[in-house]
């Protein structure tokens, strides 16, 4: 079974995979987490508004509850990850530069995957340059922030936390991994987002314990998503009551046997040449 990554929203007990704007289209499942990193960085502080636009009827919470889910679930390791959120225009120049550098790494990783069909790291030069600037900013963190970054609950890898300040070579060797670089960057950025809880392992573990309750972990093509959004938009133009609106939204968000929205408004389907009986 192919591995896919999904951006989800909800709570510990119930959450759902959502559609995500990506370049000039939309995606739901991604072959690598780098695709979702690129998408969340691009949405920036407008992430909730952007997600609402392509997920009509879904009751979004806020960015504290967005999580990336790996499917299929791993038997031993966590299958829940923090998304890379770019929530503020007021970040320091150095932090903005870090985000831009990491986005470059993400793009290179995506291009490598699409060219070779395999996941691989980007050039050592880019990785080392990014890692050097990342660790430089870590060095100048406040003592309480540094303590949190390397605490047991930090999402940074356990072995990296053990080696920091003990064995620079071993720590950097393990940190060069894309997953670990993004985890440290996510932690570093979180310290700049006021009134927002720093990501921690316990919240990921809690969601992982209720993995079976996560809905929508089925692949959908970009073409399918675009069609559904197009149908929704056309059907919405005919809405006259709250009851009709609710039916449309329920239809759009029904995961398992998707009813065409045109079944609610067959006259609109006929206008553009869609035969409901054949759908």
């Amino acid at each position: 079974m192919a591995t896919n990554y999904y951006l989800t929203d909800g709570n510990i007990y119930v959450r759902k995979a959502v559609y995500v704007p990506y370049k000039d289209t939309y995606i739901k499942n991604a072959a690598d987490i780098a695709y979702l990193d690129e998408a969340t960085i691009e949405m920036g502080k407008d992430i909730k508004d952007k997600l609402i636009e392509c997920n009509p009827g879904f009751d979004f919470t806020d960015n504290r509850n967005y999580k990336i889910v790996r499917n299929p679930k791993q038997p031993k390791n966590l299958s829940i990850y923090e998304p890379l959120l770019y929530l503020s225009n007021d970040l320091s120049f150095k932090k903005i530069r870090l985000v831009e550098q990491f986005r470059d790494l993400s793009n290179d990783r995506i291009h490598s995957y699409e060219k070779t069909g395999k996941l691989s790291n980007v050039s050592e030069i880019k990785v080392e340059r990014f890692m050097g600037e990342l660790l430089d900013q870590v060095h100048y963190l406040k003592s309480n922030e540094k303590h949190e970054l390397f605490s047991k609950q930090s999402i940074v890898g356990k072995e990296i936390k053990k080696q920091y300040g003990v064995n620079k070579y071993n720590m950097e060797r393990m940190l060069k991994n894309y997953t670990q670089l993004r985890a440290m960057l996510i932690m570093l950025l979180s310290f700049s987002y006021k009134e927002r809880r720093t990501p921690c392992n316990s919240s990921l573990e809690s969601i992982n314990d209720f993995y079976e309750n996560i809905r929508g972990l089925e692949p959908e093509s970009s073409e399918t998503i675009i069609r559904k959004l197009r149908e929704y938009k056309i059907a919405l133009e005919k809405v006259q009551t709250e009851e009709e609106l609710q039916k449309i939204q329920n239809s759009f968000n029904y995961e398992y046997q998707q009813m065409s929205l045109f079944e609610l408004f067959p006259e609109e389907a006929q206008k553009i040449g869609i035969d409901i009986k054949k759908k």
Side-chain angles (χ1 to χ4, degrees):
M1 182 178 179
T3 298
N4 280 296
Y5 295 85
Y6 299 81
L7 182 65
T8 68
D9 186 31
N11 55 41
I12 292 174
Y13 309 106
V14 179
R15 62 180 42 247
K16 181 187 173 185
V18 298
Y19 298 146
V20 178
Y22 180 73
K23 295 186 176 179
D24 58 350
T25 187
Y26 303 95
I27 59 173
K28 181 184 179 187
N29 48 294
D32 185 52
I33 202 169
Y35 287 91
L36 295 178
D37 289 340
E38 185 179 18
T40 55
I41 291 172
E42 175 63 25
M43 286 186 282
K45 64 182 181 60
D46 298 321
I47 184 169
K48 184 174 182 179
D49 291 338
K50 295 293 185 182
L51 291 175
I52 288 174
E53 288 177 7
C54 58
N55 293 273
F58 184 77
D59 187 17
F60 279 94
T61 57
D62 58 34
N63 58 61
R64 292 174 178 81
N65 293 315
Y66 302 159
K67 297 290 183 286
I68 292 174
V69 175
R70 181 191 188 277
N71 183 259
K73 183 183 181 183
Q74 299 180 100
K76 295 181 179 180
N77 298 325
L78 283 176
S79 294
I80 314 295
Y81 312 93
E82 290 287 345
L84 204 171
L85 301 179
Y86 190 24
L87 298 177
S88 175
N89 291 332
D90 298 326
L91 293 174
S92 67
F93 170 79
K94 288 186 176 181
K95 284 191 172 65
I96 292 173
R97 176 178 167 81
L98 274 180
V99 174
E100 291 173 346
Q101 284 183 304
F102 188 80
R103 186 174 187 177
D104 191 31
L105 296 184
S106 299
N107 285 329
D108 280 7
R109 183 176 169 94
I110 290 168
H111 293 326
S112 174
Y113 172 74
E114 293 181 345
K115 184 176 180 180
T116 67
K118 299 178 181 179
L119 295 176
S120 61
N121 286 327
V122 297
S123 73
E124 285 290 312
I125 294 175
K126 285 186 178 181
V127 170
E128 290 181 1
R129 184 185 301 124
F130 173 77
M131 184 173 64
E133 294 198 25
L134 179 66
L135 290 174
D136 183 61
Q137 292 200 41
V138 167
H139 177 75
Y140 289 103
L141 285 174
K142 298 175 183 177
S143 58
N144 61 312
E145 293 172 339
K146 190 176 293 187
H147 174 76
E148 194 164 7
L149 178 63
F150 294 104
S151 70
K152 183 179 180 180
Q153 280 298 315
S154 167
I155 65 172
V156 173
K158 180 168 63 176
E159 291 304 315
I160 292 174
K161 291 184 284 192
K162 283 183 179 180
Q163 296 298 326
Y164 183 79
V166 176
N167 189 314
K168 183 175 183 289
Y169 173 79
N170 282 342
M171 188 274 295
E172 291 186 353
R173 178 175 55 83
M174 291 182 286
L175 185 59
K176 286 180 181 179
N177 177 278
Y178 181 86
T179 301
Q180 294 305 322
L181 287 172
R182 75 183 297 278
M184 187 169 284
L185 176 60
I186 288 169
M187 291 293 294
L188 182 67
L189 291 175
S190 72
F191 299 140
S192 298
Y193 302 145
K194 306 302 180 184
E195 301 178 359
R196 187 179 188 279
R197 186 176 61 184
T198 304
C200 63
N201 283 326
S202 60
S203 64
L204 301 180
E205 291 164 357
S206 297
I207 296 171
N208 202 70
D209 288 341
F210 290 90
Y211 186 97
E212 288 69 24
N213 292 348
I214 301 172
R215 298 178 293 141
L217 299 181
E218 301 89 21
E220 286 187 64
S221 68
S222 295
E223 291 76 15
T224 297
I225 298 170
I226 290 171
R227 175 186 61 79
K228 289 172 65 176
L229 288 170
R230 178 168 169 262
E231 291 180 359
Y232 177 84
K233 183 178 180 180
I234 293 173
L236 197 62
E237 294 174 355
K238 305 296 292 183
V239 167
Q240 295 182 352
T241 67
E242 285 293 329
E243 183 179 1
E244 288 178 345
L245 176 62
Q246 191 63 53
K247 285 181 179 179
I248 291 173
Q249 291 178 342
N250 288 344
S251 175
F252 187 89
N253 286 291
Y254 190 57
E255 293 98 18
Y256 301 109
Q257 188 176 355
Q258 176 68 25
M259 179 182 69
S260 169
L261 291 167
F262 284 131
E263 292 181 36
L264 298 173
F265 300 99
E267 68 279 7
E268 293 301 314
Q270 293 174 4
K271 287 180 183 179
I272 59 174
I274 294 178
D275 187 350
I276 296 299
K277 294 179 181 179
K278 293 183 180 179
K279 286 183 68 68

